[in-house]
C-alpha cells in the first residue's frame, strides 16, 4: 500500500485537482446546470454546535479517505492493473465508485461527473506514486472542501 512511504511530488497535483473538481462542480450547481446531492454528514455538521461538529467531521475527513483509498486504490485498482491496461483499470474503478456511491450518481449528474473525475485523478496519482498517501490527501482535500462550499 505504500503507507510507509512519504507522499510524492504528485501530491500537490492531487490536492489542486481535488479543489478544482469540487469548485467546478459547485460552480455548475450554483449556476443551475443540475441538482446537487443532499449529504447527511454535511447537514448534520451545519445543524450542530461547537465540539459536536467534530463528531461528524472526523469520519468524513479522516476515516473515509483512509478506508476507501486502502481498498479502492491500494487493493482493487492494483489488482486490476495486474491484468488490464491503465484505461481499462480506471474505467473499472470508476464503475466500482459508481456502484459504491450509487445514491450520488443516480441523483445528480454533477455529482457523478465530480466523483468520476476525482476517481480518475486518484488512479493517476496511484500510477505515478508508490505511496497511497497522495490518494488519501487528495480524497481528504475533496471531502474537506465540501465544508467550505456548502457553508
Amino acid at each position: 500500500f505504500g503507507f510507509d512511504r512519504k507522499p510524492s511530488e504528485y501530491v500537490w497535483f492531487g490536492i489542486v485537482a481535488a479543489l478544482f473538481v469540487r469548485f467546478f462542480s459547485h460552480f455548475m450547481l450554483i449556476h443551475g446546470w443540475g441538482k446537487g446531492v443532499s449529504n447527511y454528514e454535511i447537514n448534520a455538521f451545519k445543524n450542530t454546535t461547537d465540539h459536536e461538529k467534530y463528531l461528524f467531521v472526523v469520519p468524513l475527513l479522516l476515516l473515509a479517505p483512509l478506508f476507501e483509498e486502502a481498498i479502492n486504490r491500494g487493493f482493487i485498482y492494483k489488482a486490476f492493473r495486474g491484468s488490464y491496461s491503465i484505461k481499462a483499470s480506471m474505467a473499472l474503478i470508476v464503475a466500482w465508485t459508481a456502484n459504491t456511491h450509487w445514491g450520488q450518481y443516480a441523483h445528480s449528474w454533477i455529482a457523478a461527473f465530480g466523483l468520476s473525475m476525482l476517481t480518475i485523478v486518484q488512479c493517476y496519482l496511484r500510477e505515478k506514486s508508490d505511496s497511497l498517501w497522495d490518494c488519501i490527501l487528495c480524497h481528504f482535500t475533496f471531502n474537506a472542501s465540501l465544508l467550505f462550499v456548502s457553508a
Side-chain angles (χ1 to χ4, degrees), residues 30-133:
I30 63 173
H31 285 86
W33 298 0
K35 59 184 176 179
V37 175
S38 200
N39 188 310
Y40 168 76
E41 289 87 1
I42 296 303
N43 290 334
F45 178 80
K46 287 194 272 186
N47 295 321
T48 57
T49 58
D50 299 330
H51 70 280
E52 290 176 340
K53 287 187 177 198
Y54 297 107
L55 296 174
F56 296 102
V57 173
V58 170
L60 176 69
L61 296 181
L62 300 177
L63 299 180
L66 283 169
F67 179 74
E68 288 183 22
E69 295 313 313
I71 292 171
N72 294 345
R73 252 64 61 190
F75 178 70
I76 298 173
Y77 180 74
K78 282 298 196 177
F80 285 147
R81 281 295 287 127
S83 301
Y84 302 108
S85 69
I86 293 172
K87 289 180 183 179
S89 298
M90 284 184 181
L92 288 167
I93 289 295
V94 168
W96 171 253
T97 301
N99 180 53
T100 59
H101 293 79
W102 184 248
Q104 295 166 333
Y105 272 77
H107 185 72
S108 169
W109 77 267
I110 294 175
F113 171 78
L115 288 171
S116 296
M117 293 308 299
L118 182 72
T119 299
I120 291 168
V121 167
Q122 290 171 316
C123 289
Y124 174 80
L125 290 173
R126 189 61 176 139
E127 280 295 321
K128 294 294 186 180
S129 176
D130 289 334
S131 173
L132 209 75
W133 288 113

